[in-house]
Amino acid sequence: MTTFLDGKHVLVAGAGVTGRSAAEALLAAGAQVTVTDGSADRLLALETLLSGVALVPGLTEPPQGTDLVVTSPGWRPESPLLAAATAAGVEVIGEVELAWRMAAELADPPVWLAVTGTNGKTTTVGMLESILRTAGIDAVACGNVGLPVVDALLAGHRVLAVELSSFQLYWSPSVRPLAGVLLNLAEDHLDWHGGMTAYAEAKARVLSGDVAIGGVDDPVVAALLKAAPSVRHIGFTLHEPVANQLGVVDGVLVDRAFDTDEQLVEADLVRPAGPPGLADALAAAALARAYGVSADSVRQGLLNFRPGAHRAVRVAESEGVTYVNDSKATNPHAAIASLRSHPSVVWLAGGLLKGASVDELLAAEAHRLRGVVLFGEDREVIAAALARHAPTVPCAVVDATDRDAMTSVVHAARELAKPGDTVLLAPAAASMDMFTDYAHRGHAFTEAVLDLVEHERSRA
């Protein structure tokens, strides 16, 4: 399928899902492959899955003769191995870039429609996949959503709905999708990128294709869209759109970019409901329309879409208190959107802030907080911000970090909640200090809520 990799010595940095897929693709392309990882256990797991690959733990410089390094996205440029490779003149790319270069050698490569942003990426690519499949197109959501892009490429899909993180974009200097969308931009992963400017620059790479699409209600995104090198610039807005925009008119999503005034779908039928869901639907519609999908298919595809787990899921209602799992709100920007969907909230927050600040969140949304329960590594950072911006809001801090900590969090929230309140898990932070991932955190919350509700009902 490819010629540029045949006989090349390629080092894969990272033995997780992405690393394994990259190694398999490289082997199929005729490369000589070495895989390294700091975890001997992850390498051991690969031993039975990949034959013909050299597995070397803990490399801090590439082996002699290495032609290319393919890194897992989370590895930082300054990590010893990648820094040593760069210093030695060995190119370092990511798995997404590898897939792009492999696709370029195909006689009929797939079309790439790409999505990035601080929040809403997975929902948007899911909506896009639903729209494309409704239109009868062989499409698949891939990338940061879970399926590595090289796997989607090797499976032969015609259109790739690619979710791209800032890490993946950083390691993908050549990727030029047919159309790419930047949904929104707020502080996130600043510890990895070293600051907001570098983070924004990485995200803006999605706007390098033929059609650049951006959420113009976000002034930073609007500026990046205007500066994009693309042939065509399309905006989307939650307000009435002007020419070359999609937006909302009288409760209906409308396309004034690819058609004069095409109605797409009624806003109250879009799921997830609320402003974030509508913005994601407009972005997905813009990408699909850029590929030539009809308005009817956009409408039906959005109606067919079902949101993923741990995204504003109503878990239960008991004694007048509603419990909502939005564990996917892993940064302050996402938490703001989540909080704005509820008028009276007992907010559950904490975890790893990754260098982001919650001051803006608390200054803007303190009026809807009836109580706050804090947990996780950066709980005291959030507590200090709460003292600055909302000192009268009752706050409980849970110091436990064991498997039962979420039970303590939920019980503390119940003590603060009154009938009519929503107990909202929208942590504004990553989960890996206490949990495997945001899904694990969401499951723990759901289990704790259901146990509490069962106890309340048995007592009634």
Side-chain angles (χ1 to χ4, degrees), residues 318 448-460:
S318 179
V449 167
L450 294 178
D451 285 346
L452 173 68
V453 169
E454 182 180 2
H455 175 72
E456 288 182 341
R457 289 175 181 170
S458 67
R459 197 180 55 189

Side-chain angles (χ1 to χ4, degrees), residues 181-195:
V181 63
L182 177 55
L183 299 169
N184 45 58
L185 205 58
E187 288 186 345
D188 199 16
H189 302 300
L190 302 189
D191 52 347
W192 197 97
H193 291 280

Side-chain angles (χ1 to χ4, degrees), residues 226-248:
K226 186 176 181 180
S230 303
V231 174
R232 190 167 186 194
H233 298 75
I234 304 297
F236 66 88
T237 173
L238 293 177
H239 306 291
E240 182 170 349
V242 298
N244 289 314
Q245 291 184 353
L246 289 79
V248 183

